[in-house]
Amino acid sequence: MVKFANKYIGIALLTFVSSFLAAQNEEAAIKRVIEKESAAYFNVDYKTWAECWVQAPHAYWSYTDTSGTRFLDGWEAVKNSMTTYFKSAKPSSGEISNEWLEIRIYEAGAYVRFTQLAIDGTDRTETAQIRVLEKQNGQWRIVCMQAVGRSTAR
Protein backbone atom coordinates (compact mmCIF):
# COMPACT_ATOMS: atom_id res chain seq x y z
CA MET A 1 0.00 0.00 0.00
CA VAL A 2 2.84 2.42 0.85
CA LYS A 3 4.57 1.58 -2.44
CA PHE A 4 1.35 2.37 -4.34
CA ALA A 5 0.92 5.67 -2.45
CA ASN A 6 4.51 6.72 -3.16
CA LYS A 7 4.07 5.91 -6.84
CA TYR A 8 0.80 7.89 -6.95
CA ILE A 9 2.40 10.90 -5.21
CA GLY A 10 5.36 10.73 -7.62
CA ILE A 11 3.08 10.72 -10.65
CA ALA A 12 1.01 13.60 -9.24
CA LEU A 13 4.15 15.62 -8.51
CA LEU A 14 5.55 14.97 -11.99
CA THR A 15 2.24 16.04 -13.55
CA PHE A 16 2.18 19.23 -11.48
CA VAL A 17 5.78 20.14 -12.36
CA SER A 18 5.17 19.43 -16.06
CA SER A 19 2.06 21.64 -16.07
CA PHE A 20 3.93 24.43 -14.26
CA LEU A 21 6.83 24.32 -16.74
CA ALA A 22 4.43 24.29 -19.70
CA ALA A 23 2.66 27.38 -18.33
CA GLN A 24 6.01 29.15 -17.89
CA ASN A 25 6.95 28.29 -21.50
CA GLU A 26 3.62 29.68 -22.76
CA GLU A 27 4.11 32.91 -20.77
CA ALA A 28 7.63 33.29 -22.16
CA ALA A 29 6.35 32.76 -25.73
CA ILE A 30 3.61 35.35 -25.18
CA LYS A 31 6.10 37.90 -23.83
CA ARG A 32 8.42 37.25 -26.79
CA VAL A 33 5.73 37.99 -29.39
CA ILE A 34 4.72 41.20 -27.59
CA GLU A 35 8.36 42.29 -27.33
CA LYS A 36 8.93 41.40 -31.00
CA GLU A 37 5.86 43.40 -32.07
CA SER A 38 6.93 46.43 -30.02
CA ALA A 39 10.51 46.31 -31.31
CA ALA A 40 9.28 46.02 -34.91
CA TYR A 41 6.96 49.00 -34.39
CA PHE A 42 9.75 51.20 -33.00
CA ASN A 43 12.23 49.97 -35.63
CA VAL A 44 9.68 50.65 -38.40
CA ASP A 45 9.73 47.03 -39.62
CA TYR A 46 6.26 46.45 -41.03
CA LYS A 47 6.84 42.86 -42.17
CA THR A 48 7.95 41.67 -38.72
CA TRP A 49 5.27 43.76 -37.00
CA ALA A 50 2.48 42.29 -39.18
CA GLU A 51 3.72 38.72 -38.57
CA CYS A 52 2.93 39.24 -34.88
CA TRP A 53 -0.75 39.89 -35.58
CA VAL A 54 -3.81 37.74 -36.25
CA GLN A 55 -4.83 39.06 -39.63
CA ALA A 56 -8.58 38.66 -39.25
CA PRO A 57 -11.72 40.81 -39.24
CA HIS A 58 -11.87 40.72 -35.42
CA ALA A 59 -8.41 42.32 -34.98
CA TYR A 60 -8.51 45.61 -33.07
CA TRP A 61 -5.92 48.35 -32.37
CA SER A 62 -6.46 51.35 -30.11
CA TYR A 63 -4.28 54.11 -28.65
CA THR A 64 -5.31 56.94 -26.33
CA ASP A 65 -3.25 59.89 -25.16
CA THR A 66 -3.80 63.58 -24.37
CA SER A 67 -4.50 64.30 -28.06
CA GLY A 68 -7.39 61.84 -28.20
CA THR A 69 -8.18 58.25 -29.09
CA ARG A 70 -7.41 56.44 -32.30
CA PHE A 71 -8.83 53.01 -33.02
CA LEU A 72 -8.76 50.61 -35.91
CA ASP A 73 -11.41 47.91 -36.19
CA GLY A 74 -10.56 44.85 -38.31
CA TRP A 75 -7.27 43.73 -39.87
CA GLU A 76 -7.84 45.64 -43.12
CA ALA A 77 -8.19 48.92 -41.20
CA VAL A 78 -5.16 48.08 -39.04
CA LYS A 79 -3.09 47.09 -42.07
CA ASN A 80 -4.06 50.17 -44.11
CA SER A 81 -3.35 52.63 -41.31
CA MET A 82 -0.12 50.96 -40.22
CA THR A 83 1.15 50.70 -43.79
CA THR A 84 0.87 54.48 -44.01
CA TYR A 85 2.55 54.92 -40.61
CA PHE A 86 5.44 52.59 -41.46
CA LYS A 87 6.07 54.42 -44.76
CA SER A 88 6.53 57.79 -43.05
CA ALA A 89 7.93 56.92 -39.58
CA LYS A 90 11.58 57.07 -38.64
CA PRO A 91 13.15 54.22 -36.63
CA SER A 92 13.70 54.90 -32.95
CA SER A 93 17.00 54.12 -31.29
CA GLY A 94 15.23 54.04 -27.96
CA GLU A 95 15.11 51.42 -25.26
CA ILE A 96 11.89 49.58 -24.48
CA SER A 97 11.11 47.90 -21.18
CA ASN A 98 7.96 46.15 -20.01
CA GLU A 99 6.65 45.67 -16.50
CA TRP A 100 4.44 42.59 -16.75
CA LEU A 101 1.39 43.00 -14.50
CA GLU A 102 -0.91 40.16 -15.52
CA ILE A 103 -0.77 37.23 -17.91
CA ARG A 104 -3.76 34.90 -18.10
CA ILE A 105 -3.87 32.01 -20.51
CA TYR A 106 -7.16 30.42 -21.58
CA GLU A 107 -6.53 27.40 -23.82
CA ALA A 108 -5.77 29.08 -27.18
CA GLY A 109 -6.23 32.65 -25.91
CA ALA A 110 -4.38 34.97 -23.56
CA TYR A 111 -4.94 38.29 -21.80
CA VAL A 112 -1.86 40.38 -20.97
CA ARG A 113 -1.63 43.66 -19.05
CA PHE A 114 1.64 45.54 -18.72
CA THR A 115 3.28 48.94 -18.54
CA GLN A 116 5.71 49.81 -21.31
CA LEU A 117 8.41 52.42 -20.99
CA ALA A 118 10.08 53.68 -24.18
CA ILE A 119 13.06 55.99 -23.75
CA ASP A 120 15.08 57.61 -26.50
CA GLY A 121 17.39 60.61 -26.48
CA THR A 122 14.62 63.21 -26.47
CA ASP A 123 11.47 61.54 -25.20
CA ARG A 124 10.15 59.23 -22.50
CA THR A 125 6.82 57.56 -23.11
CA GLU A 126 5.03 55.36 -20.59
CA THR A 127 1.93 53.48 -21.67
CA ALA A 128 -0.48 51.18 -19.89
CA GLN A 129 -1.16 48.37 -22.33
CA ILE A 130 -3.44 45.39 -22.82
CA ARG A 131 -3.00 42.67 -25.41
CA VAL A 132 -5.29 39.82 -26.30
CA LEU A 133 -3.56 37.00 -28.13
CA GLU A 134 -4.69 33.87 -29.95
CA LYS A 135 -2.64 30.77 -30.51
CA GLN A 136 -2.80 29.75 -34.16
CA ASN A 137 -0.81 26.88 -35.65
CA GLY A 138 1.21 26.66 -32.43
CA GLN A 139 2.18 30.37 -32.51
CA TRP A 140 0.88 33.19 -30.32
CA ARG A 141 -0.36 36.23 -32.28
CA ILE A 142 -1.81 39.54 -31.14
CA VAL A 143 -5.47 40.10 -32.02
CA CYS A 144 -6.21 43.15 -29.87
CA MET A 145 -4.02 46.00 -28.66
CA GLN A 146 -5.07 48.78 -26.32
CA ALA A 147 -2.56 51.36 -25.12
CA VAL A 148 -3.10 54.46 -23.02
CA GLY A 149 -0.33 57.06 -22.84
CA ARG A 150 0.49 58.08 -19.30
CA SER A 151 1.64 61.55 -18.39
CA THR A 152 5.12 61.67 -16.86
CA ALA A 153 3.72 64.07 -14.23
CA ARG A 154 2.08 62.19 -11.38
Side-chain angles (χ1 to χ4, degrees), residues 13 17-19 21-23 36 46 62 79 89 95 118 123 146 148 153:
L13 184 58
V17 170
S18 295
S19 295
L21 292 175
K36 180 180 176 182
Y46 176 81
S62 171
K79 178 180 77 172
E95 182 180 318
D123 196 16
Q146 166 65 49
V148 178

Side-chain angles (χ1 to χ4, degrees), residues 11-86:
I11 291 170
L13 184 58
L14 183 60
T15 301
F16 173 77
V17 170
S18 295
S19 295
F20 177 75
L21 292 175
Q24 282 188 319
N25 288 341
E26 290 297 320
E27 282 191 16
I30 288 166
K31 288 177 182 179
R32 277 193 306 274
V33 76
I34 291 170
E35 290 166 344
K36 180 180 176 182
E37 185 257 0
S38 293
Y41 181 85
F42 284 105
N43 291 325
V44 191
D45 178 355
Y46 176 81
K47 182 180 181 294
T48 300
W49 179 85
E51 289 170 356
C52 296
W53 277 80
V54 172
Q55 299 179 11
H58 61 283
Y60 185 84
W61 181 97
S62 171
Y63 184 83
T64 301
D65 63 11
T66 57
S67 67
T69 298
R70 293 172 294 286
F71 66 92
L72 305 167
D73 195 359
W75 175 249
E76 286 303 312
V78 173
K79 178 180 77 172
N80 292 340
S81 180
M82 290 300 166
T83 299
T84 302
Y85 165 80
F86 280 99

Side-chain angles (χ1 to χ4, degrees), residues 124-151:
R124 171 191 162 119
T125 305
E126 183 178 313
T127 53
Q129 300 204 21
I130 293 173
R131 297 285 196 287
V132 177
L133 295 91
E134 293 180 357
K135 194 170 192 180
Q136 297 183 342
N137 301 318
Q139 300 294 314
W140 287 103
R141 300 281 186 253
I142 298 164
V143 70
C144 177
M145 190 285 284
Q146 166 65 49
V148 178
R150 289 186 171 173
S151 169

